[in-house]
Amino acid sequence: LAVVALMSFVGGLAKTAEQSGNLQSIVAVTLGMLGGTFVPISDPSSFLGRLSFLTPNAWFLRGLADLNGGTVMDTLPAVGVLLVIAVGFGAAALSVSRKMVSA
């Protein structure tokens, strides 16, 4: 949900369908790199480690790591952050899409 809301927001900022696809690709790859999807970030206390927790990718990976050897209750902080990201960007995407539809 977080990534769908984020990509809907990014897509709503574009003026054409081609521009939307390009912007979404840039955002997806950037979030993947910063979030530790391609290369794991070994030190969470480093600058890059702290920066990674601004991405939904890092929270998803943290939730998966908490689930490994833990319980579903251990994943609640990651799920909560992902839901906050989803609601925030969902509201922003809705606002942007209403402007596009009314124009």
Side-chain angles (χ1 to χ4, degrees), residues 8-85:
S8 296
F9 173 70
V10 171
L13 295 176
K15 293 182 180 25
T16 65
E18 184 176 340
Q19 186 181 26
S20 173
N22 291 337
L23 286 174
Q24 288 172 337
S25 296
I26 291 168
V27 169
V29 170
T30 303
L31 290 177
M33 289 186 322
L34 289 176
T37 302
F38 300 126
V39 177
I41 298 171
S42 58
D43 184 14
S45 63
S46 68
F47 174 73
L48 189 56
R50 290 190 305 270
L51 184 65
S52 73
F53 285 109
L54 295 176
T55 69
N57 304 57
W59 285 103
F60 176 73
L61 291 173
R62 179 178 178 180
L64 287 179
D66 290 343
L67 191 58
N68 186 20
T71 65
V72 174
M73 296 300 287
D74 295 334
T75 64
L76 288 182
V79 171
V81 171
L82 288 171
L83 286 176
V84 167
I85 292 171

